[in-house]
Amino acid sequence: VEENRSAECLLFQKKKLLEELGENRLPYLTPSDADFHQLWKTKYSKLIFRKSDTVPEELHQMVQESFLTLREHDCFFQDLVRIKGKDFLTPVSRILIGNPGCTYKYLNTRLFTVPWPTEGYDIKYCSPRIHDACKALMRLNDYLHIEAVRALQGQNFFETKIKDTTLIDREQSFATSLTEQGSVSRGQSSVCVAEDDRSLKNRTSYNLTLLNYMDPLQMLYLKQEPYFGMGNVAVSWHHDENLVERSTVAVYSYSCEDSAIQESNEQELKGRDPAVWHVGLKVAWDIETPGLAVPLHQGDIYLMLDDLNMTHQHCVLAGLSPRFSSTHRVADSSRGTLEYIIGRCELALQNLQTDSDSMALSLKSLEATVVKQVEEIHNEVEFEWLRQFWFQGKRYLKCTDWWLKPMAKLEEFWRKLEVMTSLLLSEVRKEQQIEEQRNETISCFLLLLKERQKLRKEWTARCQSDAAESLPEDQKPECHPFWTDDDESNMPLPYDLEEVIAYLQNLVQ
Ligand SMILES: O=C(O)CCC(=O)C(=O)O
Ligand SMILES: [Fe+2]
C-alpha cells in the first residue's frame, strides 16, 4: 500500500510539473554550450566519461564483435515489464550476461543471466561464438572494474571517508582502551583502510551486465523526452534498481555510426544533435539545475560513481544509427541467486517428514511462525522464480540451456511445497487442536494464501495482456505452472484457491 501511494504521489507530481511546463521546456546543456563543463564539474561530478581512444583497440574489437554475434543469434529481447499495474514492451531489446545463477530484477521483471565462462562451471553454449561473446563481455567487465576503482580512487571523497571513519574509531578506541592508545589507533587506521578497500571492491565488483540494443529506424514510434525537449528517448528517465547501495554502474556504448549518417554540421540548431546517441542526466526532484546531455560515440565509456544513481536520474536519447550498450552492475544478490533460493526451499522442506513404515508424509510443526515461513518461501519460489522464468518464454534457450536444470529442481521443490500446503489444510480441518493456537496458525496461513491467489491472478493476466499476445510464438509468455482440476497433473490442491480461502475465512470467523 505504501509503495502504491508513493507511486501515485510521484505520478501526480510529474503530471503537475508537465502541466505547469505547458509548451515550455526546462533548460539543458550540451558540449556546444559554454557552461557545459562548469555544470558537469559542479552538479554532475560523479559522472565519469572516457573517450573511446582511452580503451585498448583489441578490447574494442572483441566487444563489438560479441555484440554483433549476439544480434546475429537473435539473443536480444524486448522485455514485457509491468509499471504501475500496466504492461509495456521496452523499446530496447536486452540480454543479461553474468555470474552463473545470478539474476537482476527491474520493473517487476527478473532477468536470468546467460552465464559467462566462469572457472569451476561447466557451461554449454548453443554455439562456440556465443561462448566467445560471453567471454569478451567478461573481459570488458574486468576492464571496467579496474577503471571504476581508478576513478573512485581519483575522486577525493573516498579518502575523506577514510579520515572520517578513522576519527570515529579513534574516539571509540579511546574510550575502551586508554592504556594501549598508541598501538590501537595505529591498528585502527589500518583496519579502516582495509575496510575501505573492501567497500571500494564491493561497489565495483560487477556480477553481471545488462546489454541493450536498439535500431531506431526499426522503431515505428519513440517517446519524446518530456521535461527538457531532448527528443527521441530509447530509455526513459529512471534510477537503476536492485543495485548494491552506492555501487558504480559502468557503461560501454557502441553506436554503429556509418559515414552515411552525417552529424548535423555546425550546431546552428539548438540542443542536442538528434543524429547522435546521448546519455541524459538530471538532478532528481530539482527543476533549477539544468539537465545534461552527453554525446556517446562508438566505443565511449561512462561511469556513474557512488550515489549518482540515487541523487540523479538518467535516460538514453536515441540517435539515428543502431546502438548497443553493455551496462555493468553490482546487482544486490541477497535474494537474487540460485544458491539463495535453493537454500530457502531446503529450509522450508525441513518441515516435511516421511513415516519410515507407511511412507506417509506429514508436517513436523504446525507452529504459526514455522507455517508462515514455509508458505512465504512457497510464494517466493513460485512468483519470484518459476513464473518469472517461464513468463519469458523460451528466450534463454537461444544461448544456453543452463537454467533448465535448476528450474526443474526448483519446480520439484515447489511441488513438495504444494503437498505441504495441502497437508496443512488437512490439519486445520481436524478439530482436535486447541482453538486458540489453531486460529493463529490459520490467520497467517490465510494471509499468505490470499497473496498467492492474488499473484496467480496477476500473472495469468500478465500472460494474456495485449502486449504479450503481440509477441512472436517463441517469445510468448508461458503461464507455468498451470493446471486444471480435470487434468492428470496429480496436484494436491487446485490452481484457483478461492474455495480454500473461503473455507479458511469461515473457520477463523
Ligand atoms: O544504454 C545506456 O547507456 C544506459 C542504459 C540504461 O540506463 C539502463 O539499461 O538502465
Ligand atoms: Fe539505467
Side-chain angles (χ1 to χ4, degrees), residues 438-439 442 446 499-509:
R438 200 187 65 163
N439 272 2
I442 295 174
L446 183 57
E499 279 175 27
V500 176
I501 288 169
Y503 171 81
L504 290 176
Q505 200 110 46
N506 232 354
L507 276 188
V508 280
Q509 267 159 16

Side-chain angles (χ1 to χ4, degrees), residues 418-431:
E418 282 286 314
V419 171
M420 289 173 78
T421 306
S422 78
L423 287 172
L424 182 58
L425 203 60
S426 1
E427 286 301 327
V428 297
R429 280 194 169 117
K430 295 176 191 162
E431 297 286 330

Side-chain angles (χ1 to χ4, degrees), residues 17-121:
L17 173 59
L18 286 172
E19 274 168 13
E20 273 172 26
L21 270 176
E23 294 291 293
N24 297 324
R25 290 293 175 266
L26 299 169
Y28 75 97
L29 302 186
T30 71
S32 56
D33 294 294
D35 304 335
F36 177 75
H37 291 285
Q38 184 61 26
L39 180 68
W40 189 333
K41 221 170 71 188
T42 52
K43 301 288 184 176
Y44 298 90
S45 64
K46 290 177 183 175
L47 173 72
I48 305 292
F49 179 81
R50 297 257 188 273
K51 228 177 117 46
S52 69
D53 61 12
T54 64
V55 179
E57 186 51 39
E58 183 221 14
L59 188 59
H60 280 307
Q61 271 175 22
M62 282 177 57
V63 169
Q64 294 177 9
E65 193 174 309
S66 77
F67 287 143
L68 299 174
T69 300
L70 292 170
R71 183 176 63 179
E72 240 171 73
H73 286 81
D74 296 318
C75 296
F76 289 94
F77 295 97
Q78 291 174 283
D79 289 322
L80 192 45
V81 298
R82 196 169 170 88
I83 310 172
K84 292 170 207 126
K86 290 208 189 98
D87 303 285
F88 296 94
L89 215 48
T90 57
V92 296
S93 301
R94 312 193 128 131
I95 176 177
L96 187 71
I97 299 178
N99 288 352
C102 232
T103 68
Y104 180 68
K105 198 175 172 191
Y106 86 106
L107 299 177
N108 297 305
T109 303
R110 183 179 300 282
L111 298 178
F112 298 77
T113 52
V114 171
W116 46 37
T118 311
E119 233 177 280
Y121 287 82

Side-chain angles (χ1 to χ4, degrees), residues 164-280:
D164 288 352
T165 14
T166 312
L167 222 64
I168 294 164
D169 283 350
R170 284 227 178 102
E171 275 164 28
Q172 279 167 356
S173 61
F174 187 67
T176 48
S177 76
L178 280 163
T179 47
E180 296 168 314
Q181 211 177 359
S183 64
V184 167
S185 68
R186 226 181 301 127
Q188 286 288 330
S189 67
S190 71
V191 165
C192 271
V193 172
E195 211 170 85
D196 240 71
D197 266 358
R198 182 148 36 82
S199 108
L200 186 85
K201 193 149 178 285
N202 285 347
R203 294 174 191 176
T204 53
S205 295
Y206 308 121
N207 43 17
L208 48 83
T209 173
L210 181 58
L211 271 59
N212 296 315
Y213 172 71
M214 195 182 92
D215 179 356
L217 299 183
Q218 301 294 310
M219 303 304 292
L220 291 175
Y221 164 81
L222 283 176
K223 269 206 322 210
Q224 294 298 296
E225 192 290 310
Y227 305 112
F228 303 91
M230 290 171 168
N232 288 346
V233 179
V235 183
S236 307
W237 291 112
H238 67 285
H239 303 275
D240 287 345
E241 305 177 57
N242 194 207
L243 302 179
V244 162
E245 201 172 287
R246 286 177 177 267
S247 60
T248 299
V249 177
V251 180
Y252 180 94
S253 179
Y254 172 46
S255 35
C256 317
E257 295 146 352
D258 70 59
S259 40
I261 302 172
Q262 288 286 316
E263 276 182 42
S264 320
N265 44 8
E266 319 283 277
Q267 281 272 292
E268 310 147 351
L269 7 129
K270 277 190 72 124
R272 66 108 173 175
D273 185 342
V276 175
W277 284 81
H278 289 69
V279 58

Side-chain angles (χ1 to χ4, degrees), residues 94 210 212 235 238 240 251 253 279 296 302 304 314-316 323 325 327 329:
R94 312 193 128 131
L210 181 58
N212 296 315
V235 183
H238 67 285
D240 287 345
V251 180
S253 179
V279 58
L296 298 170
Y302 68 89
M304 295 189 278
H314 59 283
C315 70
V316 182
R323 183 236 190 202
S325 69
T327 66
R329 304 161 195 247

Side-chain angles (χ1 to χ4, degrees), residues 392-395 468-478:
Q392 294 165 56
K394 297 187 171 54
R395 64 157 80 172
E469 304 287 359
S470 77
L471 288 169
E473 207 48 48
D474 61 332
Q475 285 178 47
K476 282 237 163 76
E478 261 180 71

